[in-house]
Amino acid sequence: MGSEVRERTQRVIERCRSQGFAAAGIASIEPSHRQEAWRSWIGSGRQGEMTYLDRTLEVRLDPNQFLPGARAAVVVADAYVTRSLRFQRCESIAQDAGVLQGEAFGRIARYARGRDYHSVMTKRLHALSDALRAEHPNDSFRTFVDIHPVIERELAARAGLGWIGKHTLLIHPRIGSYLLLGGIMTTLELEPVAEGQRVIDHCGSCTRCIDACPTGCITPYSVDAQRCIAYLTIERRSRVPEELRANMHDWIFGCDVCQEVCPHNSLRAAARQDLPAANAAYAPLREGFDLLSVLGWREEDRAKAFRTTPLRRAPLDQFRRNAAYAAGNLLAGSFHPGLHTRLQAIAADPTEPELVRDAASWALRRASRDDAATAREP
Ligand code: SF4
Ligand code: SF4
């Protein structure tokens, strides 16, 4: 690789840093090394209702189908959790539930608490790509974030940004896993990170994420999406199987448990002086929602509450369904008459969507089963 390419690569990385990305690297373009694993994952139906994964699998496995003639991918990462927020982890999920806060509170995953990362990242990636296109008009550039058919974490690992942990997320050795990934695929010649310079797997014998996952959906380096709370609350449009609802606890959009328990997101890791600051755009606007309010929402309430956030992906009925499951789990361990009354009204109202009525009925059954269990105690 000539010095011209090396210098150009360095300039591109510096530009990424000047755009505020916490990490950046160059990945070589090659088909996924895990093609068989991906095909078998899809073949066994673990993607659940995410049918777009089936439809776009071949493009995902071969970046050259995303951008014909691609020679490199500029991969970037935004950090979305500040040091101070990093340790608000739940020692016990029940303890962390809304009961302690005196209200019925449903939690959302950390990445969804601030502004929508799609627009925050895309805007800067477009600026980078426009600048590169102006300098190299004969080359092609195509930006990507998680809505595009690209396996960003594999490219990120190849670009030297980290390793893919047993929970299947990318872990940066200094920053941890609270990262959002994106990049630019290009036909421009850049110098990729050599295989020997990539970050090696530091999971070792650790199994914390596997042990802590509320639905037991992690096996080393694979997640059964059909049981993952992130999938169940965000991607799954239909009823959640009853046997999984209690394990969803108070999560109403996503789940952070496997990241909260990971030692690479630990206090010791965050105390490092050289930890890049989280992007200010992701400063949390909220940690969750009052369940009683959500259960009473209409479309305009949802639109107002979700404006400019990644929560927009959850349709109204689905979000109210999630709130009803969380309400049932909350009522199983605490007393909240207002919530109980709201669930009864929904369950008895034939004009309510079937999805929400079913969730409300289940929540009432869950609450009464627990009441009965409590009544039998000496
Ligand atoms: S997001 Fe939650 S449910 Fe999904 S794998 Fe991680 S811990 Fe398990
Ligand atoms: S919790 Fe342990 S096994 Fe899981 S990703 Fe983190 S280091 Fe790896």
Side-chain angles (χ1 to χ4, degrees), residues 102-147:
E103 61 180 18
F105 185 77
R107 269 189 299 175
I108 56 180
R110 283 172 170 76
Y111 82 88
R113 293 178 185 178
R115 274 178 53 204
D116 190 350
Y117 61 95
H118 297 106
S119 50
V120 174
M121 290 193 92
T122 303
K123 202 171 159 191
R124 286 178 293 146
L125 286 170
H126 281 165
L128 269 171
S129 141
D130 288 348
L132 289 170
R133 196 174 286 114
E135 282 173 21
H136 306 279
N138 296 326
D139 281 295
S140 305
F141 301 87
R142 188 172 177 195
T143 60
F144 59 85
V145 289
D146 69 349
I147 54 169

Short mmCIF file of all heavy atoms in Angstrom, two decimals, residues 102-147:
data_model
loop_
_atom_site.label_atom_id
_atom_site.label_comp_id
_atom_site.label_asym_id
_atom_site.label_seq_id
_atom_site.Cartn_x
_atom_site.Cartn_y
_atom_site.Cartn_z
N GLY A 102 -42.58 5.28 43.12
CA GLY A 102 -43.91 5.72 43.51
C GLY A 102 -44.87 5.83 42.35
O GLY A 102 -45.95 6.39 42.46
N GLU A 103 -44.46 5.34 41.20
CA GLU A 103 -45.36 5.37 40.06
C GLU A 103 -45.13 4.12 39.23
O GLU A 103 -44.18 3.38 39.44
CB GLU A 103 -45.12 6.61 39.21
CG GLU A 103 -43.72 6.68 38.66
CD GLU A 103 -43.49 7.94 37.82
OE1 GLU A 103 -44.29 8.88 37.94
OE2 GLU A 103 -42.54 7.92 37.04
N ALA A 104 -46.04 3.90 38.32
CA ALA A 104 -45.89 2.74 37.45
C ALA A 104 -45.08 3.19 36.25
O ALA A 104 -45.57 3.88 35.37
CB ALA A 104 -47.27 2.26 37.02
N PHE A 105 -43.83 2.75 36.21
CA PHE A 105 -42.88 3.29 35.26
C PHE A 105 -42.36 2.18 34.35
O PHE A 105 -41.93 1.13 34.84
CB PHE A 105 -41.74 3.91 36.08
CG PHE A 105 -40.71 4.64 35.30
CD1 PHE A 105 -40.97 5.90 34.81
CD2 PHE A 105 -39.47 4.07 35.06
CE1 PHE A 105 -40.01 6.59 34.10
CE2 PHE A 105 -38.50 4.75 34.36
CZ PHE A 105 -38.78 6.01 33.88
N GLY A 106 -42.38 2.39 33.04
CA GLY A 106 -41.82 1.41 32.12
C GLY A 106 -40.51 1.93 31.56
O GLY A 106 -40.42 3.10 31.19
N ARG A 107 -39.51 1.06 31.49
CA ARG A 107 -38.17 1.52 31.07
C ARG A 107 -37.94 1.37 29.59
O ARG A 107 -38.44 0.43 28.96
CB ARG A 107 -37.10 0.67 31.78
CG ARG A 107 -36.65 1.27 33.08
CD ARG A 107 -35.46 0.54 33.61
NE ARG A 107 -35.77 -0.87 33.87
CZ ARG A 107 -34.87 -1.75 34.24
NH1 ARG A 107 -33.62 -1.40 34.37
NH2 ARG A 107 -35.21 -3.00 34.48
N ILE A 108 -37.10 2.26 29.06
CA ILE A 108 -36.66 2.14 27.67
C ILE A 108 -35.13 1.99 27.67
O ILE A 108 -34.45 2.46 28.57
CB ILE A 108 -37.10 3.36 26.82
CG1 ILE A 108 -36.60 4.68 27.40
CG2 ILE A 108 -38.60 3.39 26.68
CD1 ILE A 108 -37.00 5.89 26.58
N ALA A 109 -34.63 1.32 26.64
CA ALA A 109 -33.19 1.08 26.55
C ALA A 109 -32.44 2.41 26.42
O ALA A 109 -32.97 3.38 25.87
CB ALA A 109 -32.88 0.17 25.37
N ARG A 110 -31.22 2.42 26.88
CA ARG A 110 -30.44 3.67 26.92
C ARG A 110 -30.27 4.32 25.54
O ARG A 110 -30.27 5.53 25.42
CB ARG A 110 -29.06 3.40 27.51
CG ARG A 110 -29.08 3.25 29.02
CD ARG A 110 -27.71 2.79 29.51
NE ARG A 110 -27.59 2.86 30.95
CZ ARG A 110 -28.14 2.00 31.77
NH1 ARG A 110 -28.87 1.00 31.32
NH2 ARG A 110 -27.99 2.12 33.08
N TYR A 111 -30.09 3.52 24.52
CA TYR A 111 -29.82 4.13 23.20
C TYR A 111 -31.02 4.92 22.69
O TYR A 111 -30.88 5.77 21.81
CB TYR A 111 -29.41 3.06 22.18
CG TYR A 111 -30.57 2.32 21.56
CD1 TYR A 111 -31.19 2.81 20.41
CD2 TYR A 111 -31.07 1.15 22.12
CE1 TYR A 111 -32.26 2.15 19.84
CE2 TYR A 111 -32.14 0.49 21.56
CZ TYR A 111 -32.73 0.99 20.42
OH TYR A 111 -33.80 0.34 19.87
N ALA A 112 -32.20 4.62 23.26
CA ALA A 112 -33.42 5.27 22.78
C ALA A 112 -33.85 6.44 23.66
O ALA A 112 -34.92 6.99 23.47
CB ALA A 112 -34.55 4.23 22.70
N ARG A 113 -33.02 6.81 24.62
CA ARG A 113 -33.43 7.85 25.57
C ARG A 113 -33.16 9.27 25.07
O ARG A 113 -33.68 10.23 25.61
CB ARG A 113 -32.74 7.63 26.92
CG ARG A 113 -33.22 6.36 27.59
CD ARG A 113 -32.53 6.08 28.91
NE ARG A 113 -32.96 4.78 29.42
CZ ARG A 113 -32.51 4.23 30.53
NH1 ARG A 113 -31.59 4.85 31.26
NH2 ARG A 113 -32.95 3.05 30.91
N GLY A 114 -32.29 9.39 24.08
CA GLY A 114 -31.96 10.72 23.57
C GLY A 114 -32.51 10.91 22.17
O GLY A 114 -33.51 10.28 21.80
N ARG A 115 -31.87 11.76 21.40
CA ARG A 115 -32.34 12.02 20.03
C ARG A 115 -32.12 10.81 19.13
O ARG A 115 -31.28 9.97 19.41
CB ARG A 115 -31.60 13.25 19.48
CG ARG A 115 -32.30 14.55 19.88
CD ARG A 115 -31.55 15.75 19.37
NE ARG A 115 -31.27 15.70 17.95
CZ ARG A 115 -30.27 16.35 17.36
NH1 ARG A 115 -29.45 17.10 18.08
NH2 ARG A 115 -30.08 16.28 16.06
N ASP A 116 -32.84 10.78 18.05
CA ASP A 116 -32.78 9.66 17.13
C ASP A 116 -31.39 9.55 16.50
O ASP A 116 -30.97 10.43 15.74
CB ASP A 116 -33.85 9.84 16.04
CG ASP A 116 -33.98 8.58 15.20
OD1 ASP A 116 -33.14 7.67 15.34
OD2 ASP A 116 -34.94 8.51 14.41
N TYR A 117 -30.69 8.44 16.80
CA TYR A 117 -29.33 8.28 16.31
C TYR A 117 -29.28 8.19 14.79
O TYR A 117 -28.26 8.51 14.18
CB TYR A 117 -28.66 7.05 16.94
CG TYR A 117 -29.35 5.75 16.64
CD1 TYR A 117 -28.95 4.94 15.59
CD2 TYR A 117 -30.42 5.32 17.42
CE1 TYR A 117 -29.59 3.75 15.32
CE2 TYR A 117 -31.07 4.14 17.15
CZ TYR A 117 -30.65 3.35 16.10
OH TYR A 117 -31.30 2.18 15.83
N HIS A 118 -30.37 7.73 14.17
CA HIS A 118 -30.34 7.63 12.71
C HIS A 118 -30.05 9.00 12.10
O HIS A 118 -29.17 9.15 11.26
CB HIS A 118 -31.68 7.12 12.17
CG HIS A 118 -32.02 5.75 12.64
ND1 HIS A 118 -32.97 5.50 13.60
CD2 HIS A 118 -31.50 4.56 12.30
CE1 HIS A 118 -33.04 4.20 13.82
NE2 HIS A 118 -32.15 3.60 13.04
N SER A 119 -30.79 10.01 12.56
CA SER A 119 -30.58 11.33 11.96
C SER A 119 -29.28 11.95 12.45
O SER A 119 -28.56 12.59 11.68
CB SER A 119 -31.77 12.25 12.23
OG SER A 119 -32.09 12.23 13.59
N VAL A 120 -28.94 11.73 13.73
CA VAL A 120 -27.70 12.31 14.27
C VAL A 120 -26.48 11.77 13.50
O VAL A 120 -25.58 12.52 13.12
CB VAL A 120 -27.56 11.99 15.78
CG1 VAL A 120 -26.21 12.46 16.32
CG2 VAL A 120 -28.69 12.63 16.58
N MET A 121 -26.48 10.48 13.25
CA MET A 121 -25.32 9.89 12.55
C MET A 121 -25.36 10.17 11.05
O MET A 121 -24.35 10.50 10.44
CB MET A 121 -25.29 8.37 12.75
CG MET A 121 -24.94 7.96 14.16
SD MET A 121 -24.55 6.21 14.25
CE MET A 121 -22.79 6.23 14.01
N THR A 122 -26.54 10.02 10.47
CA THR A 122 -26.64 10.15 9.01
C THR A 122 -26.21 11.53 8.53
O THR A 122 -25.52 11.67 7.52
CB THR A 122 -28.09 9.85 8.56
OG1 THR A 122 -28.43 8.56 9.02
CG2 THR A 122 -28.24 9.90 7.06
N LYS A 123 -26.61 12.54 9.28
CA LYS A 123 -26.26 13.91 8.88
C LYS A 123 -24.72 14.07 8.78
O LYS A 123 -24.20 14.60 7.80
CB LYS A 123 -26.81 14.86 9.96
CG LYS A 123 -27.00 16.26 9.52
CD LYS A 123 -27.76 17.00 10.61
CE LYS A 123 -27.54 18.49 10.45
NZ LYS A 123 -28.01 19.24 11.57
N ARG A 124 -24.02 13.55 9.76
CA ARG A 124 -22.55 13.70 9.75
C ARG A 124 -21.91 12.79 8.72
O ARG A 124 -20.91 13.12 8.09
CB ARG A 124 -22.01 13.43 11.15
CG ARG A 124 -22.32 14.60 12.10
CD ARG A 124 -21.83 14.33 13.50
NE ARG A 124 -22.58 13.25 14.08
CZ ARG A 124 -22.08 12.35 14.92
NH1 ARG A 124 -20.83 12.41 15.28
NH2 ARG A 124 -22.85 11.41 15.42
N LEU A 125 -22.49 11.60 8.53
CA LEU A 125 -21.94 10.70 7.51
C LEU A 125 -22.12 11.29 6.11
O LEU A 125 -21.24 11.17 5.26
CB LEU A 125 -22.62 9.32 7.61
CG LEU A 125 -22.17 8.47 8.79
CD1 LEU A 125 -23.05 7.24 8.95
CD2 LEU A 125 -20.70 8.05 8.65
N HIS A 126 -23.27 11.94 5.90
CA HIS A 126 -23.48 12.57 4.59
C HIS A 126 -22.49 13.71 4.38
O HIS A 126 -21.97 13.88 3.27
CB HIS A 126 -24.92 13.10 4.49
CG HIS A 126 -25.91 12.01 4.17
ND1 HIS A 126 -27.25 12.16 4.31
CD2 HIS A 126 -25.72 10.73 3.75
CE1 HIS A 126 -27.86 11.03 3.96
NE2 HIS A 126 -26.96 10.16 3.62
N ALA A 127 -22.21 14.47 5.43
CA ALA A 127 -21.25 15.57 5.30
C ALA A 127 -19.87 15.01 4.93
O ALA A 127 -19.18 15.54 4.04
CB ALA A 127 -21.18 16.36 6.61
N LEU A 128 -19.49 13.91 5.58
CA LEU A 128 -18.20 13.29 5.29
C LEU A 128 -18.16 12.77 3.86
O LEU A 128 -17.21 12.99 3.11
CB LEU A 128 -18.01 12.07 6.21
CG LEU A 128 -17.31 12.28 7.53
CD1 LEU A 128 -17.42 11.03 8.37
CD2 LEU A 128 -15.84 12.60 7.27
N SER A 129 -19.23 12.10 3.49
CA SER A 129 -19.27 11.49 2.16
C SER A 129 -19.31 12.57 1.07
O SER A 129 -18.66 12.42 0.03
CB SER A 129 -20.45 10.53 2.17
OG SER A 129 -21.13 10.50 1.08
N ASP A 130 -19.98 13.69 1.31
CA ASP A 130 -20.00 14.78 0.32
C ASP A 130 -18.60 15.36 0.14
O ASP A 130 -18.17 15.64 -0.99
CB ASP A 130 -20.95 15.91 0.78
CG ASP A 130 -22.41 15.49 0.66
OD1 ASP A 130 -22.67 14.46 0.01
OD2 ASP A 130 -23.27 16.18 1.22
N ALA A 131 -17.89 15.50 1.26
CA ALA A 131 -16.53 16.06 1.18
C ALA A 131 -15.62 15.11 0.41
O ALA A 131 -14.81 15.54 -0.44
CB ALA A 131 -15.99 16.30 2.59
N LEU A 132 -15.75 13.82 0.65
CA LEU A 132 -14.90 12.84 -0.04
C LEU A 132 -15.25 12.78 -1.53
O LEU A 132 -14.37 12.68 -2.39
CB LEU A 132 -15.08 11.46 0.60
CG LEU A 132 -14.46 11.32 1.99
CD1 LEU A 132 -14.89 10.01 2.64
CD2 LEU A 132 -12.94 11.38 1.91
N ARG A 133 -16.54 12.87 -1.82
CA ARG A 133 -16.99 12.83 -3.22
C ARG A 133 -16.44 14.05 -3.99
O ARG A 133 -16.05 13.92 -5.14
CB ARG A 133 -18.52 12.80 -3.25
CG ARG A 133 -19.08 12.37 -4.58
CD ARG A 133 -20.59 12.21 -4.55
NE ARG A 133 -21.03 11.03 -3.85
CZ ARG A 133 -21.73 11.02 -2.71
NH1 ARG A 133 -22.08 12.16 -2.15
NH2 ARG A 133 -22.10 9.90 -2.16
N ALA A 134 -16.41 15.19 -3.31
CA ALA A 134 -15.90 16.40 -3.97
C ALA A 134 -14.41 16.23 -4.31
O ALA A 134 -13.95 16.69 -5.36
CB ALA A 134 -16.10 17.60 -3.05
N GLU A 135 -13.68 15.53 -3.44
CA GLU A 135 -12.24 15.33 -3.69
C GLU A 135 -11.97 14.18 -4.67
O GLU A 135 -10.94 14.15 -5.33
CB GLU A 135 -11.54 15.00 -2.37
CG GLU A 135 -11.29 16.22 -1.52
CD GLU A 135 -10.75 15.82 -0.15
OE1 GLU A 135 -10.21 14.71 0.00
OE2 GLU A 135 -10.89 16.65 0.76
N HIS A 136 -12.89 13.23 -4.69
CA HIS A 136 -12.68 12.03 -5.52
C HIS A 136 -13.94 11.79 -6.35
O HIS A 136 -14.69 10.84 -6.10
CB HIS A 136 -12.39 10.81 -4.62
CG HIS A 136 -11.25 11.04 -3.68
ND1 HIS A 136 -9.94 10.92 -4.05
CD2 HIS A 136 -11.24 11.43 -2.38
CE1 HIS A 136 -9.16 11.21 -3.02
NE2 HIS A 136 -9.93 11.52 -1.99
N PRO A 137 -14.16 12.65 -7.36
CA PRO A 137 -15.42 12.59 -8.11
C PRO A 137 -15.61 11.30 -8.90
O PRO A 137 -16.73 10.98 -9.29
CB PRO A 137 -15.33 13.82 -9.05
CG PRO A 137 -13.91 14.21 -9.06
CD PRO A 137 -13.29 13.76 -7.79
N ASN A 138 -14.53 10.55 -9.15
CA ASN A 138 -14.69 9.31 -9.93
C ASN A 138 -15.02 8.10 -9.07
O ASN A 138 -15.19 6.99 -9.58
CB ASN A 138 -13.40 9.03 -10.72
CG ASN A 138 -13.16 10.12 -11.75
OD1 ASN A 138 -14.12 10.67 -12.30
ND2 ASN A 138 -11.91 10.46 -11.96
N ASP A 139 -15.09 8.32 -7.76
CA ASP A 139 -15.39 7.20 -6.86
C ASP A 139 -16.81 7.29 -6.33
O ASP A 139 -17.45 8.35 -6.36
CB ASP A 139 -14.38 7.17 -5.71
CG ASP A 139 -13.07 6.54 -6.16
OD1 ASP A 139 -13.10 5.33 -6.48
OD2 ASP A 139 -12.06 7.26 -6.24
N SER A 140 -17.30 6.15 -5.84
CA SER A 140 -18.67 6.09 -5.29
C SER A 140 -18.60 5.97 -3.77
O SER A 140 -17.68 5.35 -3.22
CB SER A 140 -19.41 4.87 -5.83
OG SER A 140 -19.40 4.90 -7.23
N PHE A 141 -19.61 6.53 -3.12
CA PHE A 141 -19.68 6.51 -1.66
C PHE A 141 -21.13 6.23 -1.27
O PHE A 141 -22.05 6.84 -1.83
CB PHE A 141 -19.26 7.86 -1.08
CG PHE A 141 -17.86 8.26 -1.47
CD1 PHE A 141 -17.62 8.94 -2.66
CD2 PHE A 141 -16.78 7.91 -0.67
CE1 PHE A 141 -16.33 9.27 -3.05
CE2 PHE A 141 -15.48 8.24 -1.05
CZ PHE A 141 -15.25 8.93 -2.25
N ARG A 142 -21.35 5.32 -0.36
CA ARG A 142 -22.71 5.05 0.10
C ARG A 142 -22.70 4.90 1.62
O ARG A 142 -21.99 4.04 2.16
CB ARG A 142 -23.25 3.77 -0.57
CG ARG A 142 -24.71 3.57 -0.27
CD ARG A 142 -25.32 2.44 -1.07
NE ARG A 142 -26.71 2.27 -0.67
CZ ARG A 142 -27.46 1.22 -0.95
NH1 ARG A 142 -26.95 0.23 -1.65
NH2 ARG A 142 -28.70 1.15 -0.53
N THR A 143 -23.46 5.74 2.28
CA THR A 143 -23.48 5.72 3.75
C THR A 143 -24.40 4.60 4.25
O THR A 143 -25.31 4.17 3.54
CB THR A 143 -23.97 7.06 4.33
OG1 THR A 143 -25.28 7.29 3.87
CG2 THR A 143 -23.09 8.22 3.94
N PHE A 144 -24.14 4.16 5.48
CA PHE A 144 -25.02 3.15 6.08
C PHE A 144 -25.10 3.35 7.60
O PHE A 144 -24.15 3.81 8.23
CB PHE A 144 -24.54 1.72 5.75
CG PHE A 144 -23.14 1.40 6.23
CD1 PHE A 144 -22.89 0.95 7.51
CD2 PHE A 144 -22.05 1.56 5.37
CE1 PHE A 144 -21.59 0.65 7.94
CE2 PHE A 144 -20.75 1.27 5.79
CZ PHE A 144 -20.53 0.82 7.08
N VAL A 145 -26.29 3.06 8.12
CA VAL A 145 -26.51 2.93 9.56
C VAL A 145 -27.30 1.64 9.74
O VAL A 145 -27.37 0.83 8.80
CB VAL A 145 -27.24 4.16 10.17
CG1 VAL A 145 -26.34 5.38 10.21
CG2 VAL A 145 -28.52 4.47 9.41
N ASP A 146 -27.90 1.43 10.89
CA ASP A 146 -28.48 0.10 11.11
C ASP A 146 -29.73 -0.21 10.29
O ASP A 146 -30.17 -1.35 10.26
CB ASP A 146 -28.76 -0.13 12.60
CG ASP A 146 -29.87 0.74 13.13
OD1 ASP A 146 -30.31 1.67 12.42
OD2 ASP A 146 -30.32 0.52 14.27
N ILE A 147 -30.30 0.78 9.60
CA ILE A 147 -31.48 0.47 8.78
C ILE A 147 -31.08 -0.06 7.40
O ILE A 147 -31.93 -0.46 6.62
CB ILE A 147 -32.39 1.72 8.60
CG1 ILE A 147 -31.60 2.91 8.05
CG2 ILE A 147 -33.09 2.08 9.90
CD1 ILE A 147 -32.47 4.07 7.61
#
